Amino acid sequence: MAEYVGAIDQGTTSTRAMVFDHQGRVVAQHQLEHRQILPRAGWVEHDPEEIWQRTLAACREAFDGVELAALGITNQRETTVVWDRRTGRPFSNAIVWQDTRTDRIAEALDRDGRGELIRRKSGLPPATYFAGGKLQWLLENVDGVRQAATDGDALFGTMDTWVLWNLTGGPGGGVHVTDVTNASRTMLMDLETLDWDDELLAVFGVPRAMLPAIRSSAEPAGYGLTSVPLGATRSGTGGADSRIPLTAALGDQQAATVGQVCFAAGEAKNTYGTGNFLLLNTGTEPVRSTHGLLTTVAYRFGDEPAVYALEGSIAVTGSAVQWLRDQLHIIRTAAESETLALRVPDNGGVYFVPAFSGLFAPYWRSDARGAIVGLSRFDTDAHLARATLEAICYQSRDVVEAMQQDSGVTLDVLKVDGGVTANDLCMQLQADILGVPVSRPVVAETTALGAAYAAGLATGYWRDTDELRANWNESHRWKPTWSARQRDEGYRRWRMAVERTLDWVEIGAG
C-alpha cells in the first residue's frame, strides 16, 4: 500500500480533508461547508461543534482506506472559541476573525496608550481582527466563562486547538496545544520569546491557565495521536493501527506560505480566499512595520529558529464576489463574475471599496464601510462586476506598496493561490495593477499542501525544504499589459475611493 500524508484545512466557510503523495499531488479530498451565523450587523459566528462534526465527516470520506505517515492541520486564524474542559461543550459560538464587536476594546487600547505595548511585543496593532480582544469579550459577556476560567475549567483556542483537542480525545484527555503561527495572531504572545506574555495577558484580563501550550509548527515528536477513527491507518503498521500522528499545525496563510515554498527571505505569496493575505518572508529576525503591516511568525520547524514574515491582511476580497451573488443576485455563481466583467472593456469609472467590516491592512480603520463611487447612468452590472475584481487587486497593491516601504524588497513576481486564482481576468488585472508577473502553481490550494509539507517534514517523509521546492511547478503566468500611465491613474482613483469610505460609523456603532 502506498504511503501518503494527510491534511485538514479548517477554513472560514468549509472544512476540507486532503491526501497528498510524495510529489505533492492531490490523491483524495473531501470538503464540507458550515453555516455562517450573523446575529447582528458586524457580528460573525461559527458553531464549533458543527465544525468538529464536519471535520470528522470530511476526514472519514477522504482518508478511507489510506495509509498515512502523518497528519497536519491548518485553520482559519484568529477565530476564537472557549469550551469546558470537563464536557467538551463550547460556552458559546466561536467569534470569527471578521467579527467587529470588539471595536470598542481595540479603540480603548489605542486611546490609553496600551496599543504601543501590544505593537512592540506582539507585532500587531490593536484591532478587532485578532483573538485577544475576542477572548476578552467572551470572558466579560458570556455567562459562566470568567468563573470557569478562574476555576481552571475553561479552555481557549483558535480552531487548530479546538480540532486538535477533539482529535486527541476531547474531555477524555485531549491535547491542549497551538503552534507559534496561530499564537502570533492573538496579541497575547511575545514575538521574540515565542511564549505567552504576562503583560499582554494582563491587558486583556486573560488567565494563563486557559491558554494552550505553544509548540513548533512541525513537531518531530508530534502533538499526539488521533484517538477517533478517521478511516486511515498508520503507515508501517500493516493496517493494524488507526492512530495517526498529528505532527503539524499552522495558521492558513502561513501554511500557504509553506505550500508555495517561500522559504527564502524576500519570497512572497498572495492567497485569494474570503479575504486576501499577502506574506513576505523576512528571515529569522522580525521586521517591525511602520506602514500598517503585521509582523508575524511564518513558521517554525522543530527546534530550528522561527522564520518571520510581514503580512498584509485584507478582510473582503472573494467574499465581495459572494456578495454580488448572494445579496445583489447579479450573478448565479462566483465564476460568472468573470463572464459578466468581460462584457465591458474597463470599469466605466466605477470603483468599489468592499469595506464591509472596516478596512484591514494597511489602513486599519474600523470606522470605514463599503462604498461604490464614480457611478453614472452609463454604468451597468458588468461595470460593477469588473470593479469588484479590480477591488481585489487594488487592495493587494495597497499591501505591496506598504511591504516595499517596510522591507525595501521589490517584487519580481507574485506567487498566487486560492480559489479566486481560477478567475483568469482577475489574475490578469492583478498583473496589470501591480506591474509585475503573477504566477499560479499547479496545486492552487496550497494551504492544505503546506500543512501536509510541515507534517511530512516532521516525520522524514520529505527530507528537507529543497525536496519540497522540487515539487513546485507553475501552472500559468500572467504578464502586465497596462501602460504605466494607465496603472498610475487607476491607482490614484482607487485611493480617492478609499478616502470616501472613512469616518462612516462611530466606533462601537457597528
Side-chain angles (χ1 to χ4, degrees):
M1 183 182 291
E3 182 183 52
Y4 303 106
V5 174
I8 295 170
D9 181 0
Q10 200 299 291
T12 305
T13 59
S14 66
T15 302
R16 181 181 323 198
M18 301 186 75
V19 178
F20 295 92
D21 67 11
H22 202 270
Q23 284 69 48
R25 297 174 299 206
V26 179
V27 174
Q29 62 177 311
H30 191 68
Q31 183 173 2
L32 293 170
E33 292 188 357
H34 56 264
R35 291 175 299 145
Q36 305 300 305
I37 303 167
L38 309 171
R40 63 177 74 173
W43 291 31
V44 187
E45 298 177 355
H46 290 158
D47 179 347
E49 293 186 287
E50 178 190 20
I51 286 178
W52 164 236
Q53 291 303 321
R54 297 292 167 88
T55 300
L56 207 51
C59 288
R60 286 172 174 165
E61 182 69 27
F63 299 163
D64 187 39
V66 173
E67 187 173 306
L68 293 178
L71 178 59
I73 295 175
T74 182
N75 57 288
Q76 53 167 317
R77 304 170 305 173
E78 299 94 19
T79 296
T80 299
V81 59
V82 177
W83 67 96
D84 191 315
R85 75 161 70 239
R86 300 163 302 173
T87 66
R89 297 292 301 274
F91 286 95
S92 69
N93 283 334
I95 303 179
V96 178
W97 58 272
Q98 300 158 308
D99 190 287
T100 60
R101 76 186 67 183
T102 59
D103 51 5
R104 290 185 185 275
I105 292 173
E107 194 271 340
L109 293 170
D110 253 342
R111 189 174 59 243
D112 66 18
R114 291 177 294 169
E116 284 311 305
L117 171 70
I118 294 168
R119 287 182 177 87
R120 177 170 54 84
K121 288 203 165 188
S122 74
L124 309 174
T128 60
Y129 183 22
F130 306 110
K134 301 179 195 301
L135 179 52
Q136 178 181 336
W137 191 94
L138 289 168
L139 285 163
E140 292 176 350
N141 292 278
V142 176
D143 288 345
V145 172
R146 173 66 69 181
Q147 187 60 53
T150 301
D151 295 341
D153 292 327
L155 300 180
F156 154 78
T158 43
M159 298 312 292
D160 60 312
T161 302
W162 169 246
V163 171
L164 270 165
W165 189 80
N166 280 288
L167 281 171
T168 54
V175 177
H176 189 218
V177 298
T178 190
D179 91 298
V180 286
T181 67
N182 280 292
S184 74
R185 314 297 296 189
T186 61
M187 298 191 287
L188 303 175
M189 188 192 83
D190 186 306
L191 265 185
E192 302 202 7
T193 66
L194 303 179
D195 195 8
W196 305 119
D197 182 83
D198 287 332
E199 280 189 285
L200 295 175
L201 297 184
V203 166
F204 294 96
V206 173
R208 181 182 278 266
M210 69 187 307
L211 302 177
I214 301 174
R215 307 279 286 277
S216 291
S217 311
E219 281 280 344
Y223 307 123
L225 300 173
T226 59
S227 64
V228 292
L230 300 178
T233 57
R234 184 176 180 178
S235 62
T237 66
D241 195 343
S242 63
R243 298 173 301 161
I244 311 302
L246 287 153
T247 58
L250 303 97
D252 52 9
Q253 303 313 317
Q254 286 92 337
T257 303
V258 173
Q260 285 276 36
V261 297
C262 294
F263 297 126
E267 293 182 327
K269 69 86 199 174
N270 199 15
T271 296
Y272 299 72
T274 303
N276 268 31
F277 303 90
L278 203 159
L279 271 73
L280 172 72
N281 183 323
T282 60
T284 55
E285 294 294 328
V287 173
R288 306 289 178 170
S289 175
T290 58
H291 294 88
L293 302 179
L294 311 176
T295 305
T296 195
V297 180
Y299 56 84
R300 187 185 186 197
F301 295 153
D303 293 329
E304 295 177 9
V307 172
Y308 295 88
L310 282 172
E311 175 177 337
S313 307
I314 305 165
V316 178
T317 54
S319 55
V321 176
Q322 293 173 334
W323 182 72
L324 297 183
R325 180 193 68 191
D326 300 338
Q327 269 75 32
L328 296 192
H329 305 291
I330 66 173
I331 55 175
R332 290 172 298 174
T333 67
E336 284 185 14
S337 63
E338 181 177 13
T339 307
L340 182 58
L342 282 168
R343 293 182 186 173
V344 291
D346 53 44
N347 65 14
V350 177
Y351 288 82
F352 172 30
V353 185
F356 297 147
S357 54
L359 289 169
F360 283 12
Y363 304 101
W364 299 107
R365 293 289 295 265
S366 60
D367 61 310
R369 285 298 178 270
I372 301 169
V373 302
L375 285 171
S376 70
R377 184 72 182 270
F378 165 76
D379 294 309
T380 67
D381 54 355
H383 292 106
L384 179 56
R386 195 174 186 99
T388 302
L389 300 184
E390 289 187 359
I392 295 172
C393 304
Y394 278 121
Q395 289 182 99
S396 294
R397 176 164 174 179
D398 281 338
V399 168
V400 169
E401 296 273 332
M403 217 162 254
Q404 290 174 347
Q405 292 176 70
D406 273 334
S407 68
V409 173
T410 300
L411 290 183
D412 296 321
V413 63
L414 181 66
K415 288 183 174 182
V416 298
D417 55 76
V420 178
T421 63
N423 188 313
D424 288 334
L425 174 59
C426 189
M427 292 301 98
Q428 182 60 55
L429 287 167
Q430 187 67 89
D432 290 335
I433 286 168
L434 282 181
V436 299
V438 169
S439 173
R440 182 180 66 199
V442 171
V443 180
E445 295 297 342
T446 54
T447 304
L449 179 61
Y453 276 168
L457 283 173
T459 61
Y461 184 81
W462 288 288
R463 290 189 308 273
D464 51 35
T465 55
D466 288 340
E467 196 171 2
L468 303 183
R469 282 190 182 279
N471 282 347
W472 193 92
N473 290 290
E474 184 175 80
S475 165
H476 193 83
R477 178 173 289 230
W478 293 267
K479 296 180 180 179
T481 60
W482 285 6
S483 67
R485 180 177 179 181
Q486 185 179 6
R487 186 176 305 117
D488 292 345
E489 177 62 13
Y491 190 54
R492 184 183 71 82
R493 288 191 169 273
W494 164 258
R495 295 297 294 268
M496 288 172 59
V498 170
E499 287 295 321
R500 273 40 173 203
T501 72
L502 305 180
D503 298 311
W504 192 256
V505 296
E506 295 180 10
I507 297 299

